[in-house]
Amino acid sequence: MVLALTVCGLVIVLVAVGLFVFGLRRRLIQRSGGTFDCSLRWNAPEKSDTSGKGWGYGIARYNGDRIEWFRVFSYAPRPRRILERSAIEVAGRRAPEGEEELALLSDAIILACQHRGTRLELAMSEDALTGFLAWLEAAPPGQRVNVA
């Protein structure tokens, strides 16, 4: 009986510590500012895939001429993907359809892009999209920006 209570107590403590570390990590990522909620689908299919598969929920952070994308459900201190402003080409935007509506945040807009030849899709709120497109267009003189 004592062993069972000890094991249960230990499990509860470990879960609490794990949740605390998730929260702390998010705070540290957002500490420098310039962050927004952003889902990412890397190697997106050629045609619109509305199945909702392949999306990862995350936090994107502006860092100079790059966007750093962190998975929400991860303990990794480093970004999972880094997108350089000069390498991002925007192909178009659309609203989520089908099962995507369940996989993404309710007010998300999907932006189809290419980054160094890799197709990807970013899903973010209208406000975040406005900021993202403004950031893309604010490239220093001499850099090419491809916004459709």
Side-chain angles (χ1 to χ4, degrees):
M1 182 70 176
V2 173
L3 179 61
L5 289 175
T6 304
V7 169
C8 287
L10 186 59
V11 167
I12 290 171
V13 167
L14 288 175
V15 168
V17 168
L19 291 174
F20 175 77
V21 172
F22 270 133
L24 179 64
R25 177 180 170 268
R26 185 170 179 128
R27 276 283 208 200
L28 292 174
I29 291 169
Q30 292 178 325
R31 182 176 60 181
S32 63
T35 61
F36 57 97
D37 291 332
C38 178
S39 295
L40 172 80
R41 179 159 54 177
W42 196 257
N43 288 325
E46 289 289 326
K47 297 188 181 193
S48 295
D49 177 14
T50 60
S51 67
K53 294 180 182 174
W55 286 102
Y57 183 62
I59 303 165
R61 177 175 67 188
Y62 297 106
N63 188 0
D65 284 338
R66 320 182 304 177
I67 292 260
E68 298 172 334
W69 185 80
F70 299 83
R71 292 183 64 87
V72 167
F73 301 109
S74 171
Y75 291 111
R78 295 189 178 174
R80 174 80 173 194
R81 301 280 183 205
I82 296 176
L83 307 174
E84 296 171 9
R85 179 178 6 212
S86 61
I88 298 172
E89 297 178 29
V90 176
R93 70 173 99 177
R94 64 183 178 84
E97 300 171 0
E99 293 178 25
E100 281 180 330
E101 292 179 288
L102 301 173
L104 300 173
L105 295 175
S106 62
D107 63 342
I109 295 173
I110 298 171
L111 195 65
C113 302
Q114 282 212 331
H115 184 263
R116 300 196 186 283
T118 303
R119 293 178 47 79
L120 62 104
E121 291 179 322
L122 301 167
M124 59 190 87
S125 70
E126 182 75 41
D127 293 339
L129 177 63
T130 301
F132 179 77
L133 294 175
W135 174 80
L136 273 179
E137 293 173 358
Q143 284 188 354
R144 66 179 176 87
V145 177
N146 299 308
V147 178

